[in-house]
Amino acid sequence: MSDIHELTVTVDLRDGLSERQLAELRWHLGLGPQPGHLTVVTDFPCVVVDDDGVPRVGNEPRPLLAGSGPAWRTTGALCSALVARDGLPGGGWALTSRTEIHPDEAEEVGALLRWLAEHVHDTRRQEDGTVRLGYYRACEDPVPSTLEVRDGRVNLTETLLPGSR
């Protein structure tokens, strides 16, 4: 059984995102360069070995939904798009991303998904505050699960890292 999960995010975001936020979001989607200052997701912990051979925790930012080309473990293609969305009250942005993630990325991806849920267009928020962002599934599973953020908790993160936020 593989640890790789397919992640499909399809969401409409409110208008009013700053240029800085849009630039960082484009970077996470693989649609633009890395901004000089990150504000959406800021922690990307990783273990690195220093010049003395001592392991230490570093911070190595990387785009989180930037998969492109053929999928590695799931079928189909990995891709992302972010376009202005006409027709929504007040305008906004349409975002679609299909990528593969590993549990080692779950915390960082969860932080980005929580941020997306905070900026979701009001037409996409459930009465109880739950935000449905798309779908996820283990590469062996034939049926995906709904990707949701409820009370600040991302069900994908809880699936991949039980006991986490």
Side-chain angles (χ1 to χ4, degrees):
M1 183 168 181
S2 174
D3 288 341
I4 301 298
H5 282 68
E6 172 188 18
L7 175 62
T8 303
V9 178
T10 56
V11 66
D12 291 330
L13 302 172
R14 291 188 305 267
D15 195 22
L17 297 177
S18 70
E19 284 303 316
R20 179 180 275 179
Q21 291 170 320
L22 287 169
E24 188 169 345
L25 187 53
R26 286 186 183 103
W27 172 66
H28 277 298
L29 296 170
L31 304 174
Q34 180 179 343
H37 180 71
L38 300 177
T39 61
V40 174
V41 180
T42 58
D43 294 324
F44 297 84
C46 66
V47 176
V48 295
V49 178
D50 67 18
D51 293 338
D52 296 324
V54 177
R56 62 178 179 81
V57 176
N59 190 35
E60 292 186 8
R62 65 193 177 288
L64 298 171
L65 301 177
S68 64
W72 180 59
R73 295 284 301 168
T74 60
T75 60
L78 307 179
C79 56
S80 293
L82 178 67
V83 295
R85 174 84 178 199
D86 295 328
L88 286 175
W93 297 90
L95 181 152
T96 298
S97 180
R98 181 176 186 268
T99 194
E100 295 173 324
I101 69 163
H102 186 275
D104 290 347
E105 303 169 289
E107 289 291 339
E108 294 86 4
V109 170
L112 179 58
L113 295 173
R114 281 191 298 279
W115 184 88
L116 289 172
E118 291 170 8
H119 294 86
V120 73
H121 198 278
D122 294 336
T123 59
R124 308 309 303 163
R125 190 174 305 280
Q126 308 280 319
E127 285 185 25
D128 67 356
T130 299
V131 176
R132 292 191 176 135
L133 296 176
Y135 303 92
Y136 70 94
R137 70 178 180 92
C139 68
E140 300 87 1
D141 291 344
V143 178
S145 298
T146 302
L147 176 63
E148 294 181 335
V149 178
R150 177 180 293 137
D151 299 325
R153 300 183 73 82
V154 181
N155 64 345
L156 168 67
T157 305
E158 292 176 334
T159 297
L160 297 181
L161 301 172
S164 68
R165 180 168 184 219

